[in-house]
Amino acid sequence: MILVRFRAPSRNRKIVTLTRFAAAGLALSLLCGGSALAQVQGKNEVSIHQTKPVDLTPVDSQANLVEELIVNARLPGPAWWKVSDGDTNVYVMGVPAFAPQKLDFDDSVLRRRLDGANVLIIGQEPEVRILSLLALIPGRGKQFIMDKPMRDTLPPELRARLEKHLTARSKPVSEHDQLKPALAGFIIANDKGGGVSITIGDLTDRIQKLAKSKDIAVQPRVKKLDDYDLIGMVKSLGEAPQPLQELCLDAGLKETENGLAGVRETADQWAEGQVKAVVAAERGYQRCLASTPWIARQFKDGQDEAVGAITQALKKPGKAVAVIELRSLLTEGGVLDRLRAKGFTVTAPE
């Protein structure tokens, strides 16, 4: 766990602690991970730089999925999709970018597909750099600080929900008054308490270790795609306009209202190949992140790289394996949709 403290420039110099920062980074990965946000310029930017409520219809393109690809798995364990060009098959496992530690799943299909694969492609994940974390230290995080009490800037209904949330946790209703709503939403979404630890990249780490273990007779080469800038994502939220700030606070409250049981339940559903249930789960803070143009560009870069890496793997006869964040595979204009548009055959889970 990484703790980051913000010292706000006020009379009381109140310290706000971001607990479970690693879990928050993981949430960022899940909630935005590589989704199809192709139109990050033009009307999307205009629609969030406004004074009226944000219209999510043109902004949140993560909401639209390719329905025919949303099929529950029939084989044991998590769902797989297959991309083929005749003499090569790339087996693609969609993974949640955040999950409880020690999540068990049947890896028999994974082992079989890793054995003899030409390459194992690991998709975009968060990059946490200590030097970047220093940018959020007191005195350097001014973009997160309000010049008046944050609650006074909120619509009555949103303010009431925030105060109810804080009161239920025995915290003063002024707990986040010095922070912008988007950052307060970030903290609320990830300060869940309870006994479930959330990890960054735990599943992909386990898959890489398995690929290099003695259990795999013919080990694949591992190709790790570039990580995204977690700290830059957080900072971009501090610069968001007020309508998006309020959207992010609302999303953070929904995330915590969903509760840790939702995290565990969704992870278990993923492990059983229940794709329909996983993509139907409450998205929480995803709605905020998916509506932020800077973040959209970060993940579009990762999506481009994933499409390129899988396309390259299809040039070598045999088989390959890719591990990519689940929702990014299934959005309209997402990884699988784009591979299909390139003329490759994309098969839903078996």
Side-chain angles (χ1 to χ4, degrees):
M1 178 176 68
I2 301 173
L3 300 181
V4 183
R5 291 184 171 84
F6 292 82
R7 188 179 296 274
S10 67
R11 291 181 182 179
N12 297 330
R13 309 288 291 179
K14 181 179 180 180
I15 296 178
V16 180
T17 302
L18 283 181
T19 61
R20 299 180 182 272
F21 192 84
L26 179 55
L28 287 173
S29 176
L30 171 69
L31 304 177
C32 268
S35 64
L37 297 171
Q39 301 299 322
V40 297
Q41 302 291 340
K43 67 178 183 179
N44 283 5
E45 292 215 21
V46 171
S47 65
I48 68 165
H49 289 286
Q50 58 187 357
T51 55
K52 61 184 180 181
V54 174
D55 178 5
L56 290 182
T57 302
V59 176
D60 183 11
S61 56
Q62 271 195 334
N64 299 320
L65 302 175
V66 182
E67 293 297 329
E68 61 265 33
L69 295 177
I70 303 174
V71 178
N72 290 341
R74 296 174 183 170
L75 295 175
W80 291 83
W81 288 259
K82 183 171 67 175
V83 185
S84 307
D85 72 345
D87 60 356
T88 308
N89 292 323
V90 178
Y91 296 99
V92 185
M93 175 190 280
V95 294
F98 83 116
Q101 285 184 331
K102 300 179 180 179
L103 173 62
D104 293 326
F105 65 95
D106 188 321
D107 64 2
S108 58
V109 176
L110 170 62
R111 289 171 182 269
R112 185 168 70 247
R113 289 178 172 168
L114 285 173
D115 197 349
N118 296 322
V119 62
L120 166 62
I121 300 167
I122 302 294
Q124 188 183 48
E125 292 181 326
E127 179 181 22
V128 180
R129 302 186 307 275
I130 298 301
L131 290 178
S132 294
L133 288 173
L134 295 177
L136 305 181
I137 284 178
R140 302 181 188 179
K142 294 181 180 179
Q143 68 267 42
F144 302 116
I145 305 304
M146 295 288 290
D147 56 8
K148 58 182 176 181
M150 182 263 285
R151 285 177 301 141
D152 292 348
T153 71
L154 300 177
E157 185 273 339
L158 187 57
R159 175 172 177 161
R161 284 177 60 208
L162 172 61
E163 292 178 349
K164 179 180 178 181
H165 165 83
L166 293 170
T167 300
R169 284 154 180 77
S170 301
K171 296 179 180 179
V173 294
S174 60
E175 176 78 4
H176 301 310
D177 268 1
Q178 295 171 318
L179 298 181
K180 290 185 178 180
L183 186 60
F186 179 87
I187 295 170
I188 289 168
N190 295 284
D191 183 18
K192 299 176 190 264
V196 178
S197 296
I198 303 175
T199 65
I200 296 179
D202 180 63
L203 285 174
T204 53
D205 287 347
R206 287 161 58 188
I207 292 169
Q208 288 187 71
K209 289 178 181 177
L210 176 60
K212 293 301 182 183
S213 73
K214 295 180 180 179
D215 294 338
I216 305 300
V218 181
Q219 299 175 351
R221 174 176 61 88
V222 176
K223 179 178 178 59
K224 177 70 176 69
L225 304 186
D226 291 340
D227 292 330
Y228 62 80
D229 182 4
L230 170 62
I231 304 304
M233 292 173 69
V234 177
K235 292 174 69 175
S236 73
L237 295 177
E239 300 166 356
Q242 183 65 16
L244 185 53
Q245 293 280 340
E246 293 173 8
L247 171 65
C248 292
L249 177 57
D250 170 76
L253 288 167
K254 286 183 177 177
E255 181 85 0
T256 192
E257 288 162 1
N258 190 42
L260 278 173
V263 175
R264 169 63 71 181
E265 181 181 7
T266 300
D268 289 341
Q269 290 168 339
W270 167 82
E272 296 172 357
Q274 297 180 31
V275 179
K276 294 179 181 180
V278 172
V279 299
E282 169 61 46
R283 295 170 64 212
Y285 210 69
Q286 178 182 13
R287 296 171 59 248
C288 159
L289 298 169
S291 303
T292 306
W294 189 93
I295 295 174
R297 286 189 287 271
Q298 285 272 301
F299 284 103
K300 185 177 183 301
D301 289 345
Q303 183 189 76
D304 292 345
E305 194 172 0
V307 171
I310 293 174
T311 300
Q312 184 65 33
L314 286 163
K315 295 179 179 180
K316 184 174 182 179
K319 67 176 179 178
V321 174
V323 178
I324 310 291
E325 191 274 324
L326 180 62
R327 198 171 185 95
S328 73
L329 295 176
L330 302 177
T331 49
E332 292 180 357
V335 174
L336 293 178
D337 201 20
R338 289 172 58 184
L339 288 166
R340 187 168 58 173
K342 289 167 73 74
F344 300 117
T345 300
V346 176
T347 307
E350 302 170 333

